[in-house]
Amino acid sequence: MAEYIESLQRLAEQFGRLEGIGKKSAMRMAFSVLDMSAETAQELASAIIEAKERIHLCPICQNITDRDTCLVCADEGRDKSVICVVADPKAVISMEKVREYKGVYHVLGGVISPMNGVTPDKLRIKELLSRLNDGEVREVIVATNPTVEGEATAMYLSRILKPLGVTVSRLAYGISVGADIEYADAVTLNRALEGRREI
Amino acid sequence: MAEYIESLQRLAEQFGRLEGIGKKSAMRMAFSVLDMSAETAQELASAIIEAKERIHLCPICQNITDRDTCLVCADEGRDKSVICVVADPKAVISMEKVREYKGVYHVLGGVISPMNGVTPDKLRIKELLSRLNDGEVREVIVATNPTVEGEATAMYLSRILKPLGVTVSRLAYGISVGADIEYADAVTLNRALEGRREI
């Protein structure tokens, strides 16, 4: 039946192209557009076009922004001598939630993954290197995910950055706060042991 | 951080207005718009506007359609003497999936629910009554949900339709096909007993 209402079907298909949206959710979303006022639907459509048009990469840190440079790079209070390297803009959002980190970021746009055709030249490493040219940066914290690809990317960066005289560090591994040791996997527990601290 | 990228935040808020979309999903959807090509994003935005503009109610059965009359009402092969009354267009989709029902529909646009301010005059009952005027209709099947509101609506319709000389029926209650009797609730099981058939 829904297939016969072409414009509804087309809308559901379009919603289905969004990440994490299955067929049923897409159809429910399409129906809820019909329940909206014409004005609200127009606002939704405009927000899509606007976000797509306005958001671009910050020329300094390669994070997404809708201004000339992103707010972190534009902030005079941030410590420009520490760069936290992340895979994507979502990681920046997570880091910023901590409200403890006062340095700046560099967004790679992915991690090295030869299986998926992502070689180092596909990442924004060149842009990172050019930020190290003026000698102001003293530490690069690599905050890629603790996965095989994330690790490989961290290793790769460490190898090319260390000769430039900057400290390269990696986020600590260990058990999550509030987690149950009983359910921690062996590799994580091993890393937690290795990274133990005197108290 | 995301809060600072205004157009991204605004898009996520707009997605959050859709049914069943929480804050996290909305943000993930907003990010996936950024990953789309400008063309795909434009298609999504147009599909929203188009669906909203084109879809209206079928003048006969009050179901949603993007044509003059909906495909069921326009279909010469459907039995116009049987009307299945449903609460909303989604119920029509479910019924049509069965591929057994050959009658037509009438969409009420809700169920009677005084608590939520839905009185009978807010439903499209007047339109249903006018369809019974020419005396062609012999049966009205009330297929509202087996909830308090659905039941009340069925009772209400039955009371006003029966005097007009049409048969008013209700979908059978009982255990779901494939369900485990162990887990069926007492009320359902009781209805299943009441509706038992000789085999």
Side-chain angles (χ1 to χ4, degrees):
Chain A
M1 177 59 209
E3 298 90 64
Y4 303 98
I5 310 172
E6 278 163 38
S7 33
L8 185 69
Q9 188 62 21
R10 205 154 40 227
L11 178 55
E13 271 163 26
Q14 290 293 340
F15 278 137
R17 295 168 89 160
L18 295 167
E19 199 195 320
I21 301 301
K23 253 187 160 179
K24 285 228 164 179
S25 300
M27 188 48 86
R28 197 168 50 195
M29 285 162 68
F31 268 112
S32 88
V33 166
L34 298 187
D35 289 338
M36 285 176 170
S37 68
E39 202 185 6
T40 310
Q42 181 61 59
E43 275 169 25
L44 171 58
S46 313
I48 292 168
I49 300 295
E50 207 182 278
K52 196 65 204 160
E53 273 175 4
R54 289 205 191 164
I55 295 176
H56 55 90
L57 298 184
C58 166
I60 303 171
C61 73
Q62 312 293 317
N63 190 10
I64 51 170
T65 183
D66 52 4
R67 310 192 174 208
D68 291 341
T69 58
C70 79
L71 280 165
V72 174
C73 288
D75 186 348
E76 291 292 329
R78 306 291 293 231
D79 181 0
K80 304 283 196 294
S81 70
V82 182
I83 297 180
C84 176
V85 176
V86 295
D88 52 45
K90 287 175 204 170
V92 175
I93 295 176
S94 299
M95 287 291 293
E96 284 296 285
K97 275 189 192 144
V98 183
R99 292 176 193 278
E100 278 299 323
Y101 180 66
K102 298 291 173 219
V104 291
Y105 295 96
H106 190 84
V107 180
L108 291 178
V111 282
I112 298 171
S113 173
M115 294 277 281
N116 299 314
V118 185
T119 46
D121 58 295
K122 298 259 167 62
L123 301 177
R124 299 190 276 265
I125 294 173
K126 212 168 52 246
E127 290 84 349
L128 174 61
L129 290 173
S130 74
R131 291 176 73 180
L132 303 179
N133 277 345
D134 57 5
E136 253 186 56
V137 178
R138 51 183 177 83
E139 184 176 358
V140 170
I141 305 169
V142 185
T144 50
N145 282 335
T147 56
V148 175
E149 287 91 353
E151 284 299 297
T153 309
M155 284 303 118
Y156 180 87
L157 288 177
S158 160
R159 250 202 331 266
I160 58 167
L161 296 179
K162 270 188 181 160
L164 305 176
V166 289
T167 307
V168 181
S169 62
R170 183 104 178 83
L171 289 187
Y173 282 114
I175 48 172
S176 306
V177 177
D180 197 322
I181 289 176
E182 188 183 341
Y183 300 115
D185 64 290
V187 180
T188 301
L189 220 47
N190 189 27
R191 296 293 182 101
L193 257 176
E194 281 171 13
R196 69 187 180 280
R197 289 183 181 201
E198 210 176 298
I199 50 170
Chain B
M1 177 61 211
E3 298 90 62
Y4 303 98
I5 309 172
E6 279 164 37
S7 33
L8 185 69
Q9 188 61 21
R10 206 156 37 230
L11 178 56
E13 271 162 26
Q14 290 294 339
F15 278 137
R17 295 166 90 160
L18 296 166
E19 199 194 320
I21 302 300
K23 255 187 159 179
K24 284 227 164 181
S25 301
M27 186 49 83
R28 197 167 51 196
M29 285 162 68
F31 267 112
S32 89
V33 166
L34 297 187
D35 289 338
M36 286 177 169
S37 68
E39 202 185 5
T40 310
Q42 181 62 60
E43 275 168 28
L44 171 58
S46 313
I48 292 168
I49 300 294
E50 207 182 280
K52 196 65 204 162
E53 273 176 4
R54 288 206 192 164
I55 296 175
H56 54 91
L57 298 183
C58 165
I60 303 171
C61 74
Q62 312 293 318
N63 190 9
I64 52 170
T65 182
D66 52 5
R67 311 191 174 209
D68 290 343
T69 58
C70 79
L71 280 164
V72 174
C73 288
D75 185 350
E76 292 292 329
R78 307 289 293 231
D79 181 359
K80 304 284 195 294
S81 71
V82 181
I83 297 179
C84 176
V85 176
V86 294
D88 53 44
K90 286 175 203 170
V92 175
I93 295 177
S94 299
M95 287 290 293
E96 284 297 283
K97 275 191 190 141
V98 183
R99 291 174 194 280
E100 278 300 324
Y101 180 67
K102 297 291 171 222
V104 291
Y105 295 95
H106 190 83
V107 180
L108 291 178
V111 283
I112 298 170
S113 173
M115 293 277 283
N116 299 314
V118 186
T119 45
D121 58 295
K122 298 260 166 63
L123 301 178
R124 298 189 278 265
I125 294 174
K126 213 170 50 245
E127 290 85 348
L128 174 62
L129 290 173
S130 75
R131 290 176 74 180
L132 303 179
N133 277 346
D134 57 6
E136 253 186 55
V137 179
R138 50 184 177 84
E139 185 177 357
V140 170
I141 305 169
V142 185
T144 49
N145 282 334
T147 56
V148 175
E149 286 91 355
E151 284 300 299
T153 310
M155 283 305 117
Y156 180 88
L157 287 177
S158 160
R159 252 202 329 266
I160 59 167
L161 297 180
K162 270 188 180 159
L164 305 176
V166 290
T167 308
V168 181
S169 62
R170 181 101 177 86
L171 289 187
Y173 282 114
I175 48 171
S176 307
V177 178
D180 197 322
I181 291 176
E182 189 184 339
Y183 300 114
D185 63 290
V187 180
T188 302
L189 218 49
N190 189 28
R191 296 293 183 101
L193 255 176
E194 281 171 16
R196 71 188 178 279
R197 288 180 180 205
E198 210 176 300
I199 49 170

